Amino acid sequence: METEIKQFMEYLSQEKKASKNTQVSYRRDLEQMAEYLRSQGIMETEKVTRTVLNSYILYLERQGRASTTISRMLASVKAFFHYEFRQGKIKRDPAETLKTPRVEKKAPTILTVDEVTSLLNQPGGGSPKEVRDKAMLELLYATGIRVSELIGLRLEDVNLPVGFIVCKDEHKERTVPFGKTTRQALSQYLEQARPALLKGEGSPWLFVNCSGGSMSRQGFWKIIKYYGEKAGIRADITPHTLRHSFAAHLLGGGADIHAVQTMLGHSDMATTQAYTAYVQREDPVRTAYKTAHPRQ
């Protein structure tokens, strides 16, 4: 089965042009499936049946895997066997009618504006690390980009005078603006902190770690957790929390939903519309008072 998985991975890379992260995820999922099948004495794809795959699902559940994890793993399995069937390597697709576990969507954590302000104010020192952390947090909230996009930014992707960044992947790119506060934080980082962290070395990446290398997802995860605790925020903060908060705060402030969709890079409007459920609506009586009262 190793040969079939290898050929499928080549198909994902060369024909589907899947991202590196997608390829890593698929390979890991399929290798785990193959390991289970070997333990059941199954070495060839044509011997895999729907019953065998259902047993694999039960095995994953007994291991305590989350429904979201099992659903993702089964998506990889389905794609693999669909490919095998289309290539004529198996006579029947055993994964075609598999039912994935029902996944209950967890409501995203949305910080209040005050909580975000407190979080962004935590790295207030002048050390290279704190100046860098400040710039990263400000840029993440100012643009709503994904953490993978944040750590993947290159110097050439930032237009500081005009105030925008360019996010790219294999298929498309989008331009996202940022404001004066973020521009100031980035300027200080680029002029003072980044050269100090690089210690005379060069790097194409916008944000670098304390050793001058590229920033990792895990490294930034630790940064945002640290400052969240320091700010006294009880909510479970992840790098995606600022993306969620960015969207909800923009929509709450009256931003056009199509513009927010473009900035977030959502291909489906429904994904962006989901944030409207978390927009805090102001009391209409209070709004009328603040708008009309002469002493406001």
Side-chain angles (χ1 to χ4, degrees):
M1 198 173 296
E2 289 182 7
T3 301
E4 286 83 356
I5 292 177
K6 182 179 179 181
Q7 291 171 345
F8 175 67
M9 296 309 303
E10 290 174 351
Y11 160 76
L12 284 181
S13 174
Q14 297 173 13
E15 295 190 37
K16 298 294 287 184
K17 305 298 182 184
S19 69
K20 294 295 183 183
N21 286 340
T22 298
Q23 292 179 50
V24 169
S25 178
Y26 270 73
R27 184 183 296 279
R28 180 178 60 244
D29 294 342
L30 294 176
E31 286 177 348
Q32 288 185 30
M33 177 200 68
E35 183 179 349
Y36 169 80
L37 294 175
R38 281 195 298 271
S39 73
Q40 304 300 306
I42 300 172
M43 309 292 184
E44 301 167 350
T45 53
E46 59 263 28
K47 292 185 179 180
V48 179
T49 65
R50 184 174 183 273
T51 301
V52 169
L53 292 180
N54 275 322
S55 297
Y56 180 51
I57 296 174
L58 292 174
Y59 166 75
L60 294 174
E61 290 176 343
R62 285 196 299 269
Q63 280 195 317
R65 301 293 184 96
S67 296
T68 50
T69 301
I70 296 176
S71 294
R72 191 210 69 229
M73 295 174 77
L74 289 186
S76 302
V77 170
K78 285 189 171 210
F80 171 69
F81 282 106
H82 182 61
Y83 168 80
E84 290 288 288
F85 178 69
R86 285 194 296 106
Q87 294 294 310
K89 297 180 179 180
I90 54 177
K91 295 180 180 179
R92 185 177 300 172
D93 182 353
E96 185 177 11
T97 58
L98 275 184
K99 292 184 179 180
T100 57
R102 184 176 179 179
V103 178
E104 293 187 7
K105 289 188 177 180
K106 183 181 178 182
T109 300
I110 306 293
L111 301 180
T112 66
V113 174
D114 287 343
E115 285 176 327
V116 171
T117 301
S118 178
L119 176 67
L120 300 186
N121 285 340
Q122 292 312 307
S127 69
K129 181 183 182 302
E130 286 190 280
V131 172
R132 180 206 61 194
D133 295 349
K134 172 79 170 175
M136 293 185 79
L137 291 173
E138 289 283 358
L139 185 61
L140 194 63
Y141 177 62
T143 59
I145 58 177
R146 302 172 181 88
V147 65
S148 58
E149 294 171 328
L150 178 75
I151 63 176
L153 285 173
R154 294 172 174 263
L155 283 172
E156 64 197 41
D157 297 328
V158 183
N159 188 316
L160 205 56
V162 179
F164 69 81
I165 57 171
V166 178
C167 289
K168 308 171 185 174
D169 60 30
E170 291 90 341
H171 308 292
K172 59 184 178 181
E173 67 177 45
R174 70 187 191 280
T175 300
V176 189
F178 56 80
K180 181 175 65 175
T181 302
T182 303
R183 185 185 294 115
Q184 292 173 343
L186 282 172
S187 294
Q188 185 178 6
Y189 165 69
L190 290 170
E191 294 170 6
Q192 302 173 18
R194 191 171 181 276
L197 292 171
L198 287 173
K199 299 179 177 64
E201 298 295 325
S203 173
W205 307 110
L206 173 62
F207 293 110
V208 295
N209 60 30
C210 293
S211 301
S214 60
M215 177 67 66
S216 67
R217 293 173 64 95
Q218 294 81 0
F220 185 70
W221 186 87
K222 292 178 182 178
I223 288 171
I224 200 167
K225 284 286 186 182
Y226 169 74
Y227 289 118
E229 292 176 1
K230 194 175 178 183
I233 298 173
R234 296 183 178 181
D236 183 23
I237 299 179
T238 69
H240 226 60
T241 302
L242 284 180
R243 178 172 166 85
H244 294 320
S245 303
F246 162 86
H249 294 171
L250 275 183
L251 292 171
D256 177 76
I257 193 168
H258 292 91
V260 177
Q261 178 189 7
T262 299
M263 286 185 277
L264 290 171
H266 287 160
S267 56
D268 186 354
M269 171 61 77
T271 307
T272 312
Q273 286 175 329
Y275 287 110
T276 59
Y278 306 98
V279 173
Q280 295 182 352
R281 306 295 183 187
E282 191 165 8
D283 180 358
V285 174
R286 184 180 295 274
T287 300
Y289 180 88
K290 290 169 68 175
T291 302
H293 196 282
R295 295 290 289 176
Q296 289 301 310

